[in-house]
Amino acid sequence: MTARIFNFSAGPAIIPESVLEEAKENLLSLGSTGIGIMEHSHRGKAFLAVYEQAVARCREIAGISNDYEVLFLQGGASLQFSMVPMNFLAAGQTADYLITGVWSEKAREEAQRFGTVHEACSSKDKNFTYIPQELKPGSSPVYTHFTSNNTIFGTQFRTEPTPAAGSFLVCDASSDIFSRPIDVSKYGIIYGGAQKNLGPSGVTLVIIRKDLIERGQKELPTMLQYRTHTKNESMYNTPPTFGIFMMNLVFGWILKQGGLAAMAAKNEAKAKVLYDYLDQSRLFKGTAQADSRSLMNVTFVTGNEAIDQQFISEATKAGFDGLKGHRSVGGMRASIYNAFPQEGVVELVKFMRDFEAR
Amino acid sequence: MTARIFNFSAGPAIIPESVLEEAKENLLSLGSTGIGIMEHSHRGKAFLAVYEQAVARCREIAGISNDYEVLFLQGGASLQFSMVPMNFLAAGQTADYLITGVWSEKAREEAQRFGTVHEACSSKDKNFTYIPQELKPGSSPVYTHFTSNNTIFGTQFRTEPTPAAGSFLVCDASSDIFSRPIDVSKYGIIYGGAQKNLGPSGVTLVIIRKDLIERGQKELPTMLQYRTHTKNESMYNTPPTFGIFMMNLVFGWILKQGGLAAMAAKNEAKAKVLYDYLDQSRLFKGTAQADSRSLMNVTFVTGNEAIDQQFISEATKAGFDGLKGHRSVGGMRASIYNAFPQEGVVELVKFMRDFEAR
C-alpha cells in the first residue's frame, strides 16, 4: 500500500486510519452477515444496530439529554442554512445572525428569503480576522445563529455566545463539532456536515431540542420539515447508510481517545505547535487575531504571494498536502481536525523552519 | 472473510463484488495519492478526476447529449419529489402525474403544495398491480411525471409514456435506471437515488435538459434550484464524494458488462427464470399483471400469510436474504437489480421448488 501522507485538507478531511481499516473490513460483509455495509437494507436488523449505536455514542460523547433528537440528514450545512429559517422564521419575525465569515453570510442570505435578519455582530470590517466580543441583539429574535468555527479565516468562538432572551441558539458547527466539550443544553439546534470531524461528506448531523420540532412550519415540503425526520428516526427516506456507519466508527474512535476533553487537549497541543512557531517566525505570520484563533484551521501568510505559492508547492512535494488557503483569501491554511496527528504539525513546523532558513 | 450470501434487498441493494473490491483498495489511498478516497478535497485534482470520469461514463452509458446536464445531488428521490414542482410548477399551472404506486403518490403529494396536479392515470383500483395503458392528459400540463418501476408492487413501464404536447417528461427512475437502454432525448428530467442500481444510498443522479434549468423558479433556497448545481458542477457545496466515487465504479462495471443492452439481456434472463417458475407453480403466484411485470422486483405470494412467513423464514436461513415484501403489502419480493447474479435466481427457484414439494 502507498504510504499515507499528511493531509491538511479543509474537508473532506483526514479520517482516523483505524476507522478506515474497520470500514475496509466491513465493505464486503458487515460483520458475519455476508452482505456489505453499503448493501444492507436501512430497515434490516444489521443496519438498525449500526444506526442505534451511532445515536447512542453521539449522545454519550456530547452528554445529549433526552430533550434532544439526534438526526442524520443529507444536504450538508448548506441545506440547513435554509431548513432552519424555513421552519422557524416566519415573515415579520426576526432572527439574529452573527457574521464572522463567508459561511455565516451564506446562512444569513438564505434566512433573508423567509424573514427579517438582524446582524447582531460582524467582523467584516477587518476581513473576518476576529470574533466580535459584543452582540447587539435585534428586536425579539426567534433565534440566534452563529458559525462556531470559520474554516476560511481561521477563527473560532472560544465559547458559545449568549443569545437574546427568549431566543434559542442555532450553531453551524460543521468545522469544529466534537473537537472540544460542548454544553448542548445551551443550544436549540446544532448542525454540521460530517466531512471535517465526523466522517465522509454526504451526511449531516443535526441535534435539535425536541420542543422546537412542532413549532416548525407545517406547510413545507415533507423532506424539509424536521418533524418528518424525527418521527421516522432519520429514515423517512433511505438515509446515507454508509455515512452513518462511518460516523458511528468515528464516534467510537472519539470515545476510545477519551471523549471530548481528551480531543480538546490534543487539539490545543497541536494548534500550539503551529501558533507558537508563527508567533516567532520572521517569514510566516498568522492571519487571525490571537484571541480568536481557530484550533481547527490555522491560517497564515508570508505577505508575499509568490513566496506563498513557492511554499505551498515545495510543501506539497515534501508530502504536506492541502495547505493552500481557500480560493477567496489565498495564503496558507493548515486544517488540523480531530484525526490529524500531532506528528504532522511537528513535521510541518520543521519544514517551515527549514524553508524560512533558506 | 465471511462468504457473501444472496442479497435480494430492495435497496440499499447488492453492489458488484468487483466494485466493492476496488473501493476497498482505495479507502486508505486513492490510487497512489496517499490519501483515502473519502479524505480528498472535492476541489482537489484527484477527486475532480473521479467526478469527471463519472460524468463521462454516465454520458457514454446512456448516450446523453450535450443538451443535458448530469448532476450528483443529495436527498434522494424524496427531495426530487419537491424540487421538481418547486422549480417548474407555479401556482395556477398543472402537471400530470401517472399514479402507479406509493412512490408516485408521494411525488404527487409534494407537487400539490405548489400547483395543480392532474392524475393522468392510476392503477389504484387494482392495488397497483398493473401499468395503465392509456393516459388522460390534463389541461396544458407543464410536465408529465411517472415512476418507471414500482418497487413495492413489482410493476414497470415497458417504455416511457408519451407526455401531452408541450409538456416535458419527468421520471423517477430510482429503481430501474440503467437496467436497460433509455432514450434520454425523450425526457426533460430523469432522477434516481443510487441505492438500487448505481451504488450506495446518499447520492442522487439527476439528468436534466439544459433549456429547462433557467425556466426554474428563482426565489427558492439556493440548494433547491437546479441552476445552483449546474453552475457549480454539483459542487456548490461539498458533494457526497464517496457516493460519486462508487457510482463511477458502478458505471465502469456497467460499461465492462457491455452497456445497457447487455444489462437488459441479463435482467430479462434473470427475471424470466423467476416468472417462468411462478407461472407454473401451484403454491406461489406472481402479484403483478403479466404485461406489467417488473424485471427489477418480482413480487409474489402463496395466498396464505402464515406460509409466506414460513417461506421467508426458511429462505433466510438458507442464505436468501431480503425476500420479505414491503411493509405496506406483505408477501415476498425478490429484488434482482443489475448487480444481482443469475445464479441467485436459479438457486432461489430450486429452493422454492423444494419448499413447494414439501
Side-chain angles (χ1 to χ4, degrees):
Chain A
M1 207 197 72
T2 313
R4 280 167 60 82
I5 62 174
F6 292 121
N7 178 10
F8 292 91
S9 171
I14 185 168
I15 291 173
E17 205 166 317
S18 62
V19 164
L20 293 175
E21 292 287 1
E22 219 173 326
K24 214 171 147 178
E25 280 164 28
N26 290 286
L27 276 203
L28 277 99
S29 174
L30 175 63
S32 60
T33 59
I35 293 176
I37 170 60
M38 284 179 265
E39 307 168 296
H40 270 284
S41 167
H42 55 300
R43 310 236 177 248
K45 274 185 202 166
F47 178 73
L48 288 180
V50 169
Y51 160 80
E52 280 161 16
Q53 189 174 45
V55 172
R57 283 176 170 174
C58 182
R59 290 188 178 278
E60 184 184 349
I61 287 171
I64 303 171
S65 79
N66 277 328
D67 295 340
Y68 291 79
E69 294 276 6
V70 172
L71 297 173
F72 305 111
L73 305 184
Q74 295 185 58
S78 294
L79 191 56
Q80 294 304 308
F81 292 170
S82 294
M83 270 183 74
V84 168
M86 238 180 196
N87 277 271
F88 300 111
L89 185 61
Q93 292 183 320
T94 297
D96 279 1
Y97 275 69
L98 280 55
I99 306 301
T100 57
V102 168
W103 300 109
S104 41
E105 285 185 314
K106 287 199 177 195
R108 169 173 65 182
E109 198 183 304
E110 299 302 326
Q112 281 165 340
R113 300 178 188 275
F114 302 96
T116 304
V117 174
H118 171 78
E119 185 176 287
C121 73
S122 171
S123 52
K124 195 163 189 171
D125 58 336
K126 293 183 183 168
N127 196 32
F128 299 122
T129 50
Y130 70 104
I131 299 291
Q133 296 305 307
E134 290 199 12
L135 304 190
K136 291 185 185 154
S139 166
S140 307
V142 181
Y143 64 83
T144 298
H145 181 281
F146 78 111
T147 313
S148 52
N149 182 72
N150 300 278
T151 44
I152 298 178
F153 303 97
T155 64
Q156 186 178 24
F157 279 82
R158 283 288 158 273
T159 184
E160 55 280 318
T162 307
S167 154
F168 63 88
L169 196 59
V170 180
C171 179
D172 172 4
S174 295
S175 57
D176 70 350
I177 192 159
F178 293 179
S179 68
R180 57 184 179 185
I182 184 168
D183 182 353
V184 172
S185 72
K186 290 187 175 166
Y187 296 78
I189 304 171
I190 301 167
Y191 63 84
Q195 67 271 15
K196 290 145 197 305
N197 268 333
L198 305 180
S201 60
V203 52
T204 316
L205 177 66
V206 176
I207 302 167
I208 181 168
R209 218 172 65 206
K210 284 181 184 167
D211 67 297
L212 295 174
I213 294 161
E214 282 307 324
R215 280 168 56 183
Q217 293 288 330
K218 287 187 174 65
E219 300 308 309
L220 295 173
T222 307
M223 282 288 285
L224 302 173
Q225 300 179 32
Y226 290 103
R227 65 175 68 76
T228 300
H229 303 290
T230 55
K231 274 182 198 161
N232 293 282
E233 298 196 307
S234 300
M235 293 191 211
Y236 169 72
N237 68 329
T238 314
T241 55
F242 183 71
I244 296 170
F245 167 79
M246 287 298 296
M247 220 190 240
N248 182 42
L249 295 185
V250 172
F251 289 160
W253 176 84
I254 292 175
L255 288 168
K256 218 172 158 186
Q257 301 294 305
L260 297 188
M263 290 316 319
K266 286 181 197 213
N267 288 326
E268 278 161 24
K270 277 186 289 181
K272 191 172 185 307
V273 173
L274 269 165
Y275 286 123
D276 280 355
Y277 167 67
L278 288 173
D279 283 342
Q280 58 81 58
S281 169
R282 289 180 167 195
L283 177 64
F284 298 103
K285 194 177 166 308
T287 56
Q289 223 173 263
D291 64 357
S292 306
R293 283 170 167 174
S294 166
L295 301 185
M296 300 281 101
N297 312 92
V298 179
T299 50
F300 54 99
V301 293
T302 62
N304 177 318
E305 272 186 41
I307 300 179
D308 286 357
Q309 285 307 319
Q310 191 194 338
F311 173 76
I312 292 163
S313 157
E314 290 188 18
T316 307
K317 277 178 203 149
F320 303 98
D321 201 82
L323 285 170
K324 199 173 162 190
H326 189 271
R327 304 167 281 164
S328 59
V329 294
M332 280 75 75
R333 170 174 55 179
S335 297
I336 49 174
Y337 301 116
N338 280 357
F340 194 89
Q342 173 87 13
E343 185 200 351
V345 288
V346 171
E347 291 296 321
L348 176 62
V349 165
K350 262 193 218 163
F351 181 82
M352 289 169 79
R353 253 187 238 285
D354 284 355
F355 184 88
E356 186 172 352
R358 288 200 301 277
Chain B
M1 207 197 74
T2 313
R4 282 167 60 82
I5 62 175
F6 292 122
N7 178 10
F8 292 92
S9 172
I14 186 169
I15 291 174
E17 206 166 317
S18 62
V19 164
L20 293 175
E21 292 286 3
E22 218 173 329
K24 214 171 146 178
E25 280 165 29
N26 291 287
L27 276 203
L28 278 99
S29 175
L30 174 63
S32 60
T33 60
I35 294 176
I37 170 60
M38 284 180 264
E39 307 168 296
H40 269 283
S41 166
H42 56 299
R43 310 236 178 248
K45 274 185 202 165
F47 179 73
L48 287 180
V50 169
Y51 160 80
E52 279 161 16
Q53 190 175 45
V55 173
R57 283 176 170 173
C58 182
R59 288 189 179 278
E60 184 184 349
I61 287 171
I64 302 171
S65 79
N66 277 329
D67 295 341
Y68 291 79
E69 293 276 4
V70 172
L71 296 173
F72 306 110
L73 305 183
Q74 295 185 57
S78 293
L79 191 56
Q80 294 304 308
F81 292 170
S82 293
M83 270 182 74
V84 169
M86 240 180 195
N87 277 272
F88 300 111
L89 185 61
Q93 291 183 320
T94 298
D96 278 1
Y97 275 70
L98 280 55
I99 305 301
T100 56
V102 168
W103 300 109
S104 42
E105 286 184 314
K106 288 199 177 197
R108 169 172 66 180
E109 198 183 303
E110 299 302 327
Q112 281 166 340
R113 299 178 188 275
F114 301 96
T116 305
V117 174
H118 172 77
E119 185 177 286
C121 73
S122 171
S123 51
K124 196 165 190 168
D125 59 335
K126 292 185 183 168
N127 196 30
F128 299 123
T129 50
Y130 70 104
I131 299 291
Q133 297 304 310
E134 291 200 11
L135 304 191
K136 290 185 185 153
S139 164
S140 308
V142 182
Y143 64 82
T144 298
H145 181 282
F146 79 111
T147 313
S148 51
N149 182 73
N150 300 280
T151 44
I152 298 177
F153 303 97
T155 64
Q156 186 177 23
F157 279 82
R158 284 287 157 272
T159 183
E160 55 280 320
T162 306
S167 156
F168 63 87
L169 195 59
V170 180
C171 178
D172 172 3
S174 295
S175 57
D176 68 353
I177 192 159
F178 293 178
S179 68
R180 58 184 178 184
I182 184 169
D183 183 352
V184 172
S185 72
K186 290 188 174 166
Y187 295 79
I189 304 171
I190 301 167
Y191 64 85
Q195 66 271 13
K196 288 142 198 308
N197 267 335
L198 305 180
S201 59
V203 52
T204 316
L205 178 66
V206 176
I207 302 166
I208 182 169
R209 218 172 64 206
K210 283 180 183 167
D211 68 296
L212 295 173
I213 293 161
E214 282 309 323
R215 279 168 57 182
Q217 293 288 329
K218 285 186 175 67
E219 300 309 308
L220 296 173
T222 307
M223 282 289 285
L224 301 173
Q225 301 179 32
Y226 289 103
R227 65 174 69 75
T228 300
H229 303 290
T230 55
K231 274 182 197 161
N232 293 282
E233 297 195 309
S234 300
M235 293 191 212
Y236 169 72
N237 69 330
T238 314
T241 55
F242 184 70
I244 295 171
F245 166 79
M246 287 298 297
M247 219 188 241
N248 182 43
L249 295 186
V250 172
F251 288 161
W253 176 83
I254 291 175
L255 288 169
K256 216 171 159 184
Q257 301 295 305
L260 298 188
M263 290 316 319
K266 286 180 198 215
N267 288 326
E268 278 160 24
K270 279 187 286 181
K272 190 172 187 308
V273 174
L274 269 164
Y275 286 124
D276 280 356
Y277 167 68
L278 288 173
D279 283 342
Q280 58 80 57
S281 169
R282 288 180 166 194
L283 177 63
F284 297 103
K285 192 177 166 311
T287 57
Q289 224 175 262
D291 63 357
S292 305
R293 284 169 166 176
S294 166
L295 301 185
M296 299 282 102
N297 313 93
V298 179
T299 50
F300 55 99
V301 292
T302 62
N304 178 320
E305 271 187 42
I307 299 178
D308 286 355
Q309 285 308 317
Q310 191 195 339
F311 172 75
I312 293 164
S313 158
E314 291 189 18
T316 306
K317 278 178 205 150
F320 303 97
D321 201 80
L323 285 170
K324 198 173 162 189
H326 190 270
R327 305 166 282 162
S328 60
V329 295
M332 279 75 73
R333 169 173 56 178
S335 297
I336 49 173
Y337 300 117
N338 280 356
F340 195 88
Q342 173 88 12
E343 185 199 352
V345 288
V346 171
E347 291 296 321
L348 176 63
V349 165
K350 262 193 218 163
F351 181 82
M352 289 169 79
R353 253 189 237 285
D354 284 356
F355 184 89
E356 185 172 353
R358 287 200 301 277

